[in-house]
C-alpha cells in the first residue's frame, strides 16, 4: 500500500492557502465568458467588422456613451463598471435596431445590472440582473 509522508507543520498553512485559492479560482474561470441565457451562439457578435462599417457610414450617428450612461443612471441606481458597443440580438434587429450600447451597472447592493440601449435612439431594449427592483429609481429619487 502506498503512503504519503507526513506534511511538516510549517508547510500546512501554505498548502491550505494554496488549496483554498485554487478552489476559489476554479468557479471564476467561466466568468470571463459573457453569460447569455438566450442560447445564441457567440459568433453573432464575434464579428466586429459590421459595427465599424456602420460607424463609418455618412449620416450614421449614435448617442454618445455619456448620454447612454446618463439615461441608465437616471433610471437605475448604480455606477458604470463596463460599457461596449454590441450588435443587436436577432429579435432586436427585426425591430430595426442596428447597434446597441451594452452597459453594466454595479448597484449599491453590489448587484450587477445588464442594460441594453439602442445606440441610435437611446431607447431601453433590455434590463436584467439581480436587485433590479431595488435599483430602480422612483420619481424624484436623487440618491
Amino acid at each position: 500500500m502506498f503512503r504519503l509522508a507526513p506534511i511538516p507543520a510549517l508547510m500546512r498553512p501554505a498548502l491550505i492557502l494554496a488549496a483554498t485559492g485554487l478552489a476559489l479560482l476554479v468557479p471564476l474561470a467561466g466568468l470571463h465568458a459573457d453569460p447569455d441565457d438566450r442560447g445564441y451562439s457567440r459568433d453573432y457578435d464575434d464579428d466586429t467588422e459590421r459595427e465599424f462599417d456602420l460607424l463609418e457610414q455618412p449620416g450614421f450617428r449614435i448617442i454618445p456613451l455619456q448620454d447612454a450612461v446618463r439615461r441608465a443612471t437616471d433610471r437605475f441606481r448604480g455606477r458604470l463598471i463596463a460599457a461596449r458597443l454590441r450588435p443587436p440580438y436577432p429579435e432586436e434587429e427585426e425591430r430595426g435596431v442596428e447597434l446597441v450600447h451594452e452597459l453594466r451597472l454595479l448597484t449599491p447592493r453590489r448587484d450587477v445590472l445588464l442594460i441594453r440601449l439602442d445606440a441610435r435612439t437611446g431607447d431601453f431594449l433590455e434590463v436584467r440582473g439581480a436587485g433590479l427592483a431595488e435599483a430602480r429609481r422612483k420619481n424624484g429619487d436623487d440618491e
Side-chain angles (χ1 to χ4, degrees):
M1 180 170 180
F2 180 73
R3 292 190 65 153
L4 293 174
I7 299 172
L10 290 175
M11 289 184 64
R12 286 183 189 144
L15 287 173
I16 290 171
L17 184 61
T20 304
L22 183 60
L24 291 173
L25 288 177
V26 169
L28 296 177
L31 287 183
H32 73 280
D34 186 18
D36 189 357
D37 57 3
R38 294 167 175 258
Y40 295 129
S41 67
R42 292 288 307 203
D43 52 352
Y44 87 94
D45 66 346
D46 285 341
D47 180 21
T48 55
E49 241 178 81
R50 178 177 172 253
E51 288 78 52
F52 289 116
D53 289 345
L54 283 172
L55 293 172
E56 290 176 355
Q57 290 178 6
F60 186 87
R61 299 282 181 259
I62 62 172
I63 63 169
L65 177 61
Q66 66 228 27
D67 289 350
V69 172
R70 183 187 42 77
R71 288 174 194 238
T73 56
D74 282 352
R75 190 171 296 183
F76 298 96
R77 287 183 205 88
R79 65 183 175 93
L80 182 70
I81 58 172
R84 60 185 171 177
L85 283 174
R86 300 291 302 258
Y89 291 136
E91 65 269 14
E92 294 167 342
E93 199 167 22
E94 288 173 7
R95 296 189 329 230
V97 175
E98 297 176 273
L99 204 54
V100 174
H101 276 300
E102 188 175 271
L103 311 173
R104 293 187 191 271
L105 293 184
L106 182 65
T107 70
R109 290 187 47 186
R110 313 296 288 171
D111 294 318
V112 176
L113 300 182
L114 171 79
I115 301 173
R116 293 174 57 87
L117 301 171
D118 184 324
R120 295 194 79 176
T121 66
D123 293 339
F124 282 81
L125 300 171
E126 176 182 19
V127 181
R128 64 181 158 131
L132 185 61
E134 295 84 7
R136 179 89 159 107
R137 292 186 188 273
K138 313 298 187 268
N139 289 337
D141 185 6
D142 290 333
E143 224 174 276

